[in-house]
Amino acid sequence: METCSNAEWKERGDKVFVGTYSRYPAAMISGSGCRLVDADGREYLDFLSGIAVCILGHCHPAVTAAIAAQASRLVHVSNLYYTEPQVRLAEMLVANSFADKVFFCNSGAEANEAAIKLARIAGGAGRYQVISLSGSFHGRTLATVAATGQSKFHKGFEPLPEGFVHAPFGDLEGLAGLISEKTCAVLCEPMQGEGGVRPLDGAYLRGIRELCDRHRLLLIFDEIQTGMGRTGTLFAYQQLGVTPDIITLAKGLGNGLPIGAMMARAETAAAFTPGTHASTFGGNPVASAAAVATLETLLANGFLPRVEETGLYLRGRLSELAQRFPQHIVAVRGMGLLLGAVLSESTSAQGTVIVNRMFERGYLLNFAGNVALRFAPPLVVERADIDTMIAVLAEVLAEL
Ligand SMILES: *Cc1c(COP(=O)(O)O)cnc(C)c1O
């Protein structure tokens, strides 16, 4: 096999890739648990998990074995037929959530597209408008980008599809004022991820639920980032006291294999009938087998409580940094192992600098929403790894 250095992979890639990403100058070659190794043999400690995807860490043995076994049996048949892994996965998701029915797709944006289409067709003629929140992120397809409440994602793509309005974050009356006879749903993340790890407080979420009930609107929770144990419970809604009508999943679902899901109660899901929606690859047997193995591991005794404990530990260590560097870190927020260190106004201009310096020292994290350093390590992260990361972050902050 040919071997190239980081610099060579970068040069070759930049020549042929569409320029949608500004990538770090590293070609990742292998991974295990929380560690990655690049083409120059450098090791990284991963506090981002491929953007909250590899929840069990890289190449978790149970998931790798499930992928290998399914890949040697059957890889794809389309949704014209049933497959064992897809049925098993749907049964597990239904047994562990409020939902009765599951639609599988391949990504987060596609899961939200399915939710938006379901809300429209269930709403009936003339009810098509979806209210989402400012600061939200729902994907990059035209409909999900229209639902996304951040104008930087809209620029250059207008006219965006009709039927999306944004309520100011945290403002229940503002949201109520947007409801009309055209409204079919409210779409929100129970905690904004890309928007800067910004939780929605319980009273706000309950208020949104009440508005939806009063106006017969569907409440869609985008748990693409917060779902799959990331917050310490299988889904974030389970610890917030508010149950949605539709939920969307993707990121952590397949521990790295591309799979998404849109789930709903039976009476809502009934609006989708044969021919109304589809996906060729959705719930592909290999991706579904990976997701079954991932869920089995997450649901095993003691796994989720440990996520909560480790999350509290990381939060405590970040809070110590906030006390030591109050000029840089003004707050620590989030749930479970999705945490943000909110930077002060002056330091936020250097958010990317901090992330780059951490990268140079072999620690992966990112800067979300131009406000917070985001920590989303594999849920199996060890306290010793948290301690070394915190020590290095302290050095970087001290050097600013
Ligand atoms: C990542 C993300 C999406 C988009 O998922 P893709 O798989 O990139 O399409 C949508 N919503 C939320 C909350 C996300 O974090």
Side-chain angles (χ1 to χ4, degrees):
M1 202 168 66
E2 112 192 272
T3 52
C4 281
S5 65
N6 282 332
E8 287 165 325
W9 284 124
K10 173 174 160 49
E11 195 191 330
R12 288 172 62 177
D14 288 347
K15 246 181 228 152
V16 290
F17 289 149
V18 171
T20 44
Y21 308 106
S22 53
R23 299 174 201 254
Y24 293 93
M28 300 303 181
I29 300 294
S30 64
S32 174
C34 297
R35 284 169 170 72
L36 285 169
V37 177
D38 75 14
D40 294 352
R42 263 169 52 88
E43 195 177 279
Y44 300 83
L45 203 46
D46 188 357
F47 274 78
L48 202 54
S49 320
I51 318 187
V53 167
C54 297
I55 48 179
L56 304 180
H58 298 282
C59 300
H60 187 279
V63 180
T64 299
I67 293 169
Q70 186 58 44
S72 62
R73 197 175 301 133
L74 183 69
V75 171
H76 176 83
V77 291
S78 87
N79 286 301
L80 294 174
Y81 312 97
Y82 297 86
T83 67
E84 176 187 329
Q86 195 186 110
V87 173
R88 281 190 198 287
L89 176 59
E91 284 175 347
M92 291 177 82
L93 288 169
V94 164
N96 289 285
S97 71
F98 72 89
D100 307 307
K101 300 281 185 177
V102 188
F103 173 84
F104 288 114
C105 51
N106 312 287
S107 68
E110 251 188 291
N112 283 338
E113 285 273 349
I116 293 162
K117 284 180 74 177
L118 179 61
R120 283 191 176 190
I121 202 166
R127 294 180 73 214
Y128 60 86
Q129 199 169 63
V130 173
I131 302 174
S132 53
L133 305 183
S134 64
S136 63
F137 181 80
H138 297 296
R140 301 293 201 132
T141 60
L142 280 169
T144 59
V145 98
T148 292
Q150 301 185 62
S151 56
K152 67 177 180 192
F153 294 113
H154 299 164
K155 254 185 229 119
F157 300 113
E158 301 89 351
L160 294 173
E162 216 199 311
F164 297 92
V165 291
H166 304 111
F169 184 92
D171 178 358
L172 201 54
E173 272 171 39
L175 195 158
L178 291 174
I179 297 172
S180 72
E181 70 283 354
K182 291 182 201 158
T183 313
C184 65
V186 174
L187 165 64
C188 65
E189 301 151 270
M191 172 166 77
Q192 294 187 343
E194 303 306 303
V197 193
R198 196 155 53 146
L200 281 64
D201 74 51
Y204 182 36
L205 280 169
R206 281 193 299 279
I208 294 176
R209 176 74 268 181
E210 279 160 24
L211 280 174
C212 287
D213 291 341
R214 194 174 328 143
H215 298 275
R216 291 191 311 108
L217 309 178
L218 292 168
L219 176 56
I220 307 168
F221 273 1
D222 176 344
E223 289 228 32
I224 288 163
Q225 187 157 160
T226 55
M228 297 304 288
R230 175 56 58 193
T231 65
T233 47
L234 189 57
F235 307 111
Y237 82 83
Q238 292 167 323
Q239 55 180 303
L240 293 168
V242 175
T243 304
D245 302 298
I246 300 176
I247 186 171
T248 53
L249 304 175
K251 291 201 164 84
L253 183 54
N255 203 49
L257 261 72
I259 182 167
M262 187 277 298
M263 316 202 289
R265 287 220 177 78
E267 55 275 23
T268 310
F272 266 167
T273 53
T276 44
H277 195 53
S279 167
T280 300
F281 292 121
N284 162 286
V286 179
S288 291
V292 167
T294 304
L295 259 176
E296 278 171 353
T297 309
L298 276 184
L299 293 170
N301 256 349
F303 190 98
L304 289 172
R306 188 183 172 276
V307 174
E308 199 193 333
E309 276 168 35
T310 314
L312 287 173
Y313 184 73
L314 175 54
R315 178 190 280 265
R317 301 289 342 248
L318 289 170
S319 301
E320 285 168 29
L321 281 188
Q323 269 165 15
R324 203 170 137 199
F325 299 99
Q327 72 279 30
H328 297 314
I329 299 178
V330 294
V332 176
R333 65 192 183 190
M335 295 163 77
L337 278 169
L338 181 53
L339 294 170
V342 182
L343 300 183
S344 65
E345 212 161 295
S346 56
T347 303
S348 62
Q350 288 180 283
T352 314
V353 174
I354 297 171
V355 170
N356 287 343
R357 291 195 182 157
M358 290 298 286
F359 169 82
E360 284 156 16
R361 287 163 163 84
Y363 293 83
L364 306 184
L365 49 119
N366 82 340
F367 187 46
N370 277 323
V371 292
L373 298 174
R374 173 170 48 180
F375 304 85
L379 305 181
V380 296
V381 66
E382 303 278 346
R383 288 184 182 209
D385 291 337
I386 291 175
D387 291 341
T388 55
M389 185 278 293
I390 292 286
V392 174
L393 183 54
E395 278 171 33
V396 168
L397 292 172
E399 279 169 19
L400 283 182

